[in-house]
């Protein structure tokens, strides 16, 4: 696991970290890890379907547009790839 060193942390910030860690029942190091994780990780997993639906709403895609895309598809089965 990588090691991260943070230099020149002001005394009042370090003191606040120690107090916050004690309040949460963690070491200062564990508290910093938790703060970093919550700052950079999404709150919930992004689902592809939800993201695509949101994108469709943002660009004004309608049900009729989706149906038109579906009608333009070739319904024939694809030929399997042959490795000879």
């Amino acid at each position: 696991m990588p090691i991260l060193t943070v230099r020149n942390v002001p005394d009042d910030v370090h003191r606040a970290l120690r107090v916050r860690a004690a309040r949460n029942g963690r070491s200062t190091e564990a508290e910093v890890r938790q703060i970093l994780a919550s700052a950079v990780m999404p709150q919930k997993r992004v689902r592809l379907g939800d993201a695509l639906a949101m994108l469709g709403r943002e660009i004004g895609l309608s049900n009729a547009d989706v149906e038109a895309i579906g009608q333009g598809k070739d319904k024939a089965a694809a030929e399997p790839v042959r490795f000879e």
Side-chain angles (χ1 to χ4, degrees), residues 4-9 32 36:
L4 176 67
T5 302
V6 180
R7 292 184 174 86
N8 301 320
V9 175
V32 170
L36 288 172

Side-chain angles (χ1 to χ4, degrees), residues 2-80:
I3 296 174
L4 176 67
T5 302
V6 180
R7 292 184 174 86
N8 301 320
V9 175
D11 290 336
D12 56 338
V13 172
H14 186 257
R15 193 174 316 108
L17 278 170
R18 286 194 340 245
V19 169
R20 180 175 165 161
R23 195 172 50 234
N24 291 324
R26 294 189 273 251
S27 67
T28 304
E29 184 177 339
E31 188 68 22
V32 170
R33 281 194 301 268
Q34 177 60 38
I35 291 168
L36 288 172
S38 66
V40 299
M41 301 298 287
Q43 293 295 328
K44 66 175 193 170
R45 188 177 69 166
V46 176
R47 293 192 162 90
L48 181 59
D50 293 340
L52 290 173
M54 185 173 61
L55 178 62
R57 285 190 297 274
E58 287 177 6
I59 64 173
L61 195 63
S62 68
N63 287 339
D65 296 327
V66 174
E67 289 172 11
I69 292 169
Q71 289 174 357
K73 287 184 179 178
D74 183 6
K75 304 290 184 194
E79 288 292 320

